[in-house]
């Protein structure tokens, strides 16, 4: 008792299993926060509750996941077993079983999702460094003397920019710094073109951009080397990438963001009034300030949302719903098992009944009777054959001692009317009728003397 008391006193706390699981769940959710994972979907289950349960795996490990109805409604594609996906998730613990699991908040196909994740990570990193800060922005010249354009020399963006500048200010000199804007090595090519423009100091404003495209097509303008080169440029830069709805890292770092290449040319054209230029510039500065502010506030909202999610009653409700789904699955499996056992019992009973069926017994007895009948016939045939053989042999012996055989050798037998054999002449009198047996018949005669 003393040793046990000492051990008990040395522990800060003695947990129950449920309290331990609850504590571990809080530690996982508070310490790890939100994580991003790439993996393959397997064991995907979508019960009527609307929640999704599945396993996320790679070649060496796997982890159980739950995506509740409120989150999976935002998934824009149809997941299936074998799909490669990128997920945003919170680490948690399913307390009733003590299973470590992920609570999925968003899901995307791996390719698009990975690019979007890289975009968000770089955006947050550069924002934290202050590269998006309004204090870093350089004002555009009120009347540029020479305009530089960093884009593809064969692209539609250059054609649009030249058309606008030619229409609005035909005398404005333009220097094109051709570069790749898509594919492998394009980010380095863009950075080098901006570097050449800064080294030559031939222009007092740069338009950097290209025409529209997919996220992958525009990815060169989301590369860190391009962002840092734009931030380090001594020449003010107008970002003009894609269409108005397209947003890249270059837009956040540039001094001014234009929604399209044509809009960039409009923005720096000298036929705009001074006041309009200032208003546009201030508007762009306000937009950048708002983006910077919203980026910071978004991070705060994400943290607060994470804290709210951990304390929200919906979390407990989701746990209970998951437990209910599990119990439902277990009940269904048990019902199937019981039905299977009963079916096997019925099959065995049917088999036993078939074995003891009167029809089966009658059939067996009929088979036995038929075999006995065949054996009886075979025995009778053998016995008849043996009897015939013995009879033939006896007949041969009888024939050998038969009086008929004697008759055949010329002898005869004489009887009177009474059938008595006549062996002496004294046995007859005149007038007696005699019957003489010979080999081939009988002779009747009357004694005369």
């Amino acid at each position: 008792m003393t040793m046990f008391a000492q051990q008990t006193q040395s522990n800060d706390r003695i947990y129950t299993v449920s309290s331990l699981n609850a504590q571990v769940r809080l530690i996982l959710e508070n310490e790890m926060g939100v994580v991003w994972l790439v993996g393959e979907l397997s064991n995907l289950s979508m019960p009527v509750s609307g929640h999704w349960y599945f396993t996320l795996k790679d070649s060496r490990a796997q982890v159980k996941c739950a995506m509740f109805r409120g989150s999976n409604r935002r998934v824009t594609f149809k997941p299936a077993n074998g799909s490669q996906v990128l997920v945003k998730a919170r680490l948690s613990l399913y307390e009733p079983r003590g299973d470590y699991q992920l609570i999925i908040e968003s899901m995307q196909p791996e390719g698009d999702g990975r690019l979007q994740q890289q975009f968000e990570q770089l955006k947050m990193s550069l924002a934290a460094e202050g590269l998006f800060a309004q204090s870093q922005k350089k004002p555009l010249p009120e009347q540029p003397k020479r305009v530089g354009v960093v884009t593809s020399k064969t692209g539609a963006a250059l054609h649009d920019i030249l058309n606008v500048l030619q229409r609005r200010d035909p005398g404005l000199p333009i220097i094109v710094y051709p570069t790749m804007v898509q594919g492998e090595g394009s980010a380095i090519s863009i950075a080098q073109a901006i570097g050449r423009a800064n080294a030559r100091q031939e222009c007092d404003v740069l338009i950097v951009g290209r025409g529209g495209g997919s996220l992958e097509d525009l990815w060169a303008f989301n590369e860190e080397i391009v962002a840092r080169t734009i931030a380090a440029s001594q020449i003010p830069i107008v970002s003009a990438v894609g269409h108005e709805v397209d947003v890249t890292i270059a837009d956040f770092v540039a001094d001014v963001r234009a929604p399209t290449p044509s809009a960039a040319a409009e923005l720096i054209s000298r036929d705009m009034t001074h006041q309009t230029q200032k208003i546009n510039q201030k508007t762009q500065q306000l937009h950048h300030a708002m983006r910077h502010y919203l980026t910071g506030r978004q991070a705060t909202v994400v943290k607060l949302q994470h804290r709210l999610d951990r304390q929200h009653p919906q979390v407990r409700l989701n746990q209970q719903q998951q437990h209910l789904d599990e119990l439902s699955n277990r009940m269904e499996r048990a019902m199937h098992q019981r039905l299977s056992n009963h079916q096997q019992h019925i099959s065995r009973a049917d088999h036993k009944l078939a074995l003891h069926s009167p029809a089966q017994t009658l059939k067996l007895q009929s088979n036995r009777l038929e075999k006995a009948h065949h054996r009886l016939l075979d025995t009778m045939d053998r016995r008849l054959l043996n009897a015939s053989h013995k009879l033939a042999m006896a007949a041969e012996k009888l024939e050998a001692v038969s009086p008929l055989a004697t008759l055949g050798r010329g002898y005869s037998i004489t009887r009177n009317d009474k059938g008595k054999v006549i062996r002496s002449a004294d046995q007859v009198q005149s007038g007696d009728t005699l019957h003489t047996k010979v080999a081939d018949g009988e002779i009747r005669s009357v004694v005369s003397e």
Side-chain angles (χ1 to χ4, degrees), residues 66-289:
M67 191 173 192
F68 298 112
R69 183 171 49 199
S71 298
N72 62 42
R73 285 175 178 172
R74 296 191 295 270
V75 176
T76 58
F77 71 104
K78 186 174 181 179
N81 288 325
S83 300
Q84 290 287 335
V85 295
L86 172 72
V87 299
K88 178 183 177 183
R90 292 183 292 104
L91 272 71
S92 185
L93 187 84
Y94 183 50
E95 295 181 26
R97 284 201 310 266
D99 285 348
Y100 149 69
Q101 66 177 5
L102 297 177
I103 305 301
I104 307 300
E105 295 181 352
S106 67
M107 180 189 298
Q108 303 175 40
E110 179 185 3
D112 295 343
R114 194 182 291 273
L115 290 179
Q116 188 65 35
Q117 180 194 20
Q118 293 176 9
F119 177 89
E120 296 293 340
Q121 288 177 342
L122 182 59
K123 177 182 172 183
M124 296 294 289
S125 175
L126 296 180
E129 292 184 30
L131 266 66
F132 301 166
Q134 191 59 40
S135 60
Q136 302 294 322
K137 309 298 181 183
K138 296 177 285 294
L140 298 182
E142 293 185 2
Q143 294 186 345
K145 297 178 181 179
R146 188 177 287 109
V147 176
V149 180
V150 177
T151 189
S152 170
K153 62 181 180 181
T154 60
L158 179 60
H159 178 74
D160 294 341
I161 291 171
L162 294 179
N163 281 345
V164 172
L165 293 180
Q166 180 65 26
R167 172 172 52 84
R168 293 174 63 84
D169 191 356
L172 180 63
I174 302 170
I175 299 176
V176 177
Y177 300 93
T179 179
M180 296 170 55
V181 293
Q182 183 175 337
E184 186 177 357
S186 56
I188 296 176
S189 179
I190 295 170
Q192 290 174 343
I194 296 173
R196 286 198 302 274
N198 277 269
R200 295 177 185 178
Q201 291 293 315
E202 298 170 324
C203 53
D204 47 7
V205 64
L206 275 177
I207 298 175
V208 178
R210 58 154 288 163
S214 65
L215 178 62
E216 186 176 0
D217 294 337
L218 305 179
W219 192 252
F221 294 90
N222 290 320
E223 295 282 1
E224 184 174 0
I225 187 174
V226 173
R228 294 194 180 278
T229 302
I230 291 175
S233 174
Q234 298 301 312
I235 302 173
I237 291 180
V238 178
S239 174
V241 182
H243 303 298
E244 186 170 359
V245 295
D246 297 322
V247 179
T248 65
I249 298 296
D251 295 333
F252 294 107
V253 183
D255 299 294
V256 176
R257 186 245 177 179
T260 63
S262 297
E266 295 272 356
L267 185 64
I268 64 172
S269 298
R270 287 186 290 185
D271 64 342
M272 298 176 65
T273 63
H274 178 71
Q275 187 65 27
T276 302
Q277 289 179 348
K278 289 186 67 175
I279 291 174
N280 288 337
Q281 183 177 352
K282 293 298 183 182
T283 300
Q284 292 295 328
Q285 291 175 353
L286 178 61
H287 287 167
H288 281 291

Side-chain angles (χ1 to χ4, degrees), residues 20 123 224 246 289 352 405 432 442:
L20 176 63
K123 177 182 172 183
E224 184 174 0
D246 297 322
K352 290 180 179 179
D432 288 344
E442 184 180 87

Side-chain angles (χ1 to χ4, degrees), residues 245-379:
V245 295
D246 297 322
V247 179
T248 65
I249 298 296
D251 295 333
F252 294 107
V253 183
D255 299 294
V256 176
R257 186 245 177 179
T260 63
S262 297
E266 295 272 356
L267 185 64
I268 64 172
S269 298
R270 287 186 290 185
D271 64 342
M272 298 176 65
T273 63
H274 178 71
Q275 187 65 27
T276 302
Q277 289 179 348
K278 289 186 67 175
I279 291 174
N280 288 337
Q281 183 177 352
K282 293 298 183 182
T283 300
Q284 292 295 328
Q285 291 175 353
L286 178 61
H287 287 167
H288 281 291
M290 289 177 62
R291 290 193 187 97
H292 177 68
Y293 174 79
L294 289 175
T295 298
R297 299 309 298 171
Q298 184 178 11
T300 303
V301 169
V302 169
K303 293 179 181 178
L304 293 176
Q305 184 64 44
H306 179 58
R307 290 173 56 189
L308 178 62
D309 289 342
R310 291 199 306 269
Q311 301 173 13
H312 200 281
Q314 185 66 37
V315 174
R316 188 64 180 174
L317 182 61
N318 290 339
Q319 289 263 351
Q320 294 295 334
Q321 183 63 56
Q322 185 175 354
H323 184 57
L324 179 61
D325 289 337
E326 179 182 331
L327 292 177
S328 176
N329 290 335
R330 286 171 56 188
M331 182 179 68
E332 185 175 354
R333 288 195 299 269
M335 289 176 62
H336 285 307
Q337 184 62 41
R338 290 200 64 179
L339 287 175
S340 177
N341 291 340
H342 283 303
Q343 187 63 42
Q344 291 177 4
H345 178 72
I346 292 172
S347 298
R348 288 194 296 268
D350 285 343
H351 181 65
K352 290 180 179 179
L353 181 61
L355 291 177
H356 296 86
S357 172
Q360 183 68 19
T361 304
L362 182 59
K363 184 177 180 181
L364 291 175
Q365 294 298 331
S366 297
N367 290 337
R368 291 176 182 173
L369 181 59
E370 185 176 358
K371 291 178 181 179
H373 179 68
H374 287 309
R375 288 199 301 271
L376 179 60
L377 292 178
D378 291 341
T379 303

